[in-house]
Amino acid sequence: MITLNDIKQAKEKLDGVIQKTPLTYDTILSEELNSNIFIKKENLQITGSFKIRGAFNKLDSLSQSQKDAGVVAASAGNHAQGLAFSAKYFNCKATIFMPEATPLTKVSGVKSYGAHVILKGANYDESYEAATKFAKENDKEFIHPFADDTVIAGQGTIAIEIIEECDDLEYLIVPIGGGGLISGAAIAAKALNPNIKIIGVQASGARAMKNSFEMQIASNSKSVRTIADGIAVRDVTPMMLDYVLEYVDEIVEVEEQEIANAILFLLEQHKLVVEGAGAVTVAA
């Protein structure tokens, strides 16, 4: 498993490349819930999400020959954009497989960085199967969106940023799709302050990790259905479950209406455009 040192090294690589996004006090939620609640505005990050952190850290770790051969990924959108940006930065060709129902804005975002997009599959897991096959047949490096220690280390940098500004944090509430973000963030947070409780959030229509967490064994879903497409992951990777079991204290789930209400709340009260996957923590 990765350590805080791995995450600190990733942070050094990312300094000057990505934005240090704002951590702001949420007056409305804090008053309503009688707590001090902060929101990390990673929706304002370059490419629109935290995923650039892990993708950039991974590409930076590749040899020049691996970069020259090109990279492949599967993504519902955010990892794709983060990888496409990183590939352009390193002058590396990227081929991204995305589910057929991926929102046009995300597809356009990926193409804007020069990556080649192939729409394949009804969900992330089907796109993943097609992408790994393509990578193997064409001798290209497959960049996993979450089940990769170098990617996880990159995602963990977000927790360092949060704790640098809020060193008495009691709870860190994090969305869970495949588990890369919560794994990296939890490792960093627990290393800096072992008393921090890590709470994961899943959509009720994509709760494979919550089921697996409760049973302590990887348990896949037959299907996923949620407006939070960024965390609509059908299958649980055993490696990621190991991280979650080791570092996460609790996993909760939110219903579709709760996610929709959170999106609307952030739009109306905070003037923030946030996708469902990012809004699940506010919903929780």
Side-chain angles (χ1 to χ4, degrees), residues 164-187:
E164 283 176 347
E165 294 190 58
C166 184
D167 60 5
D168 59 346
L169 196 68
E170 292 180 274
Y171 293 90
L172 186 59
I173 306 173
V174 187
I176 300 181
L181 174 62
I182 197 167
S183 296
I187 291 166

Side-chain angles (χ1 to χ4, degrees), residues 113-192:
Y113 295 113
H116 177 55
V117 175
I118 298 175
L119 297 178
K120 188 79 173 178
N123 53 45
Y124 160 76
D125 298 277
E126 291 182 8
S127 296
Y128 168 80
E129 290 167 7
T132 51
K133 181 182 178 184
F134 177 86
K136 187 175 181 179
E137 290 174 349
N138 293 275
D139 197 27
K140 296 177 183 291
E141 190 74 15
F142 178 77
I143 311 298
H144 202 288
F146 49 83
D148 181 293
D149 283 340
T150 311
V151 171
I152 293 169
Q155 318 302 32
T157 59
I158 196 169
I160 296 180
E161 288 183 15
I162 291 170
I163 293 170
E164 283 176 347
E165 294 190 58
C166 184
D167 60 5
D168 59 346
L169 196 68
E170 292 180 274
Y171 293 90
L172 186 59
I173 306 173
V174 187
I176 300 181
L181 174 62
I182 197 167
S183 296
I187 291 166
K190 293 276 191 181
L192 294 168

Side-chain angles (χ1 to χ4, degrees), residues 59-278:
L59 257 67
D60 184 78
S61 74
L62 298 182
S63 67
Q64 190 57 51
S65 61
Q66 287 174 311
K67 291 179 185 138
D68 290 343
V71 295
V72 179
S75 170
N78 291 327
H79 176 61
Q81 291 182 82
L83 184 65
F85 173 94
S86 303
K88 185 177 181 180
Y89 182 96
F90 289 108
N91 194 27
C92 168
K93 290 184 179 179
T95 302
I96 317 288
F97 285 73
M98 306 179 78
E100 291 161 7
T102 300
L104 183 60
T105 52
K106 289 186 176 181
V107 175
S108 300
V110 175
K111 289 182 176 179
S112 72
Y113 295 113
H116 177 55
V117 175
I118 298 175
L119 297 178
K120 188 79 173 178
N123 53 45
Y124 160 76
D125 298 277
E126 291 182 8
S127 296
Y128 168 80
E129 290 167 7
T132 51
K133 181 182 178 184
F134 177 86
K136 187 175 181 179
E137 290 174 349
N138 293 275
D139 197 27
K140 296 177 183 291
E141 190 74 15
F142 178 77
I143 311 298
H144 202 288
F146 49 83
D148 181 293
D149 283 340
T150 311
V151 171
I152 293 169
Q155 318 302 32
T157 59
I158 196 169
I160 296 180
E161 288 183 15
I162 291 170
I163 293 170
E164 283 176 347
E165 294 190 58
C166 184
D167 60 5
D168 59 346
L169 196 68
E170 292 180 274
Y171 293 90
L172 186 59
I173 306 173
V174 187
I176 300 181
L181 174 62
I182 197 167
S183 296
I187 291 166
K190 293 276 191 181
L192 294 168
N193 180 358
N195 295 321
I196 293 176
K197 299 295 183 186
I198 310 297
I199 312 297
V201 187
Q202 288 213 289
S204 59
R207 62 193 307 276
M209 185 64 82
K210 185 176 190 296
N211 291 341
S212 300
F213 180 77
E214 291 170 352
M215 295 188 296
Q216 298 194 10
I217 187 169
S219 174
N220 300 332
S221 301
K222 291 182 179 179
S223 63
V224 292
R225 187 177 179 85
T226 174
I227 58 172
D229 61 284
I231 56 172
V233 178
R234 185 190 66 194
D235 299 340
V236 171
T237 306
M239 165 189 172
M240 302 313 302
L241 178 60
D242 287 344
Y243 271 118
V244 170
L245 289 172
E246 180 72 22
Y247 291 99
V248 175
D249 295 284
E250 182 183 356
I251 298 178
V252 300
E253 64 180 285
V254 288
E255 302 292 335
E256 293 297 286
Q257 188 59 54
E258 293 173 315
I259 300 170
N261 289 343
I263 293 170
L264 191 60
F265 168 80
L266 288 163
L267 182 62
E268 292 183 337
Q269 302 298 328
H270 292 278
K271 310 305 181 220
L272 289 173
V273 178
V274 179
E275 64 178 295

